[in-house]
Amino acid sequence: EVHLVESGGGSVQAGGSLTLSCVASGFPFDDYAIGWFRQAPGKEREAVSCISSWDGNIYYAPSVKGRFTISSDDAKNTVYLQMNDLKSEDTAVYYCAADNELFLRLVTQNYDRMDYWGKGILVTVSA
């Protein structure tokens, strides 16, 4: 059974930091790219950052570039998202997702066809 389990969310003041973790199981981790997505109330789901460990490909949304860092520990089947200098506009439910064509999905923004999704975790940034 496939699982993507997010952790590390919570509440923080603007300017603060959080690190999200996504632990994957039930599928060949090395064959999949992993991405972090978020959805704020009343807004569309958006891609935040993605990584593919087999070719080192990394994506950051322009709104988080320079503040967020994605990394992968293949031995632990875990992807991290270090979030620094958080802003109120970063408030959202953050989801971890896996797909072996994830970077193609970024181009088409067809996220409904992602292979696997986690349940999401709330990040709240107060001004």
Side-chain angles (χ1 to χ4, degrees):
E1 187 175 359
V2 172
H3 291 285
L4 290 170
V5 181
E6 302 98 339
S7 63
S11 297
V12 65
Q13 289 190 328
S17 299
L18 285 173
T19 299
L20 303 183
S21 299
C22 172
V23 179
S25 62
F27 64 94
F29 184 80
D30 293 348
D31 292 344
Y32 283 74
I34 306 292
W36 287 97
F37 297 76
R38 67 186 181 187
Q39 188 164 20
K43 293 190 176 181
E44 295 288 320
R45 180 173 46 191
E46 64 173 340
V48 177
S49 184
C50 307
I51 187 168
S52 59
S53 57
W54 69 84
D55 62 5
N57 205 4
I58 289 178
Y59 165 82
Y60 293 105
S63 60
V64 308
K65 201 166 188 178
R67 300 188 296 122
F68 291 10
T69 302
I70 193 169
S71 61
S72 177
D73 186 337
D74 293 354
K76 296 182 178 180
N77 283 11
T78 301
V79 172
Y80 304 95
L81 186 67
Q82 173 70 43
M83 305 186 295
N84 297 327
D85 189 23
L86 282 160
K87 306 176 186 299
S88 57
E89 52 263 41
D90 295 318
T91 294
V93 177
Y94 283 70
Y95 299 89
C96 175
D99 194 283
N100 58 12
E101 295 184 331
L102 190 148
F103 284 85
L104 175 61
R105 307 251 185 258
L106 290 179
V107 174
T108 62
Q109 298 188 25
N110 192 352
Y111 305 140
D112 289 340
R113 298 189 67 182
M114 298 285 282
D115 287 331
Y116 308 118
W117 285 95
K119 293 183 178 180
I121 193 163
L122 180 62
V123 171
T124 303
V125 183
S126 57

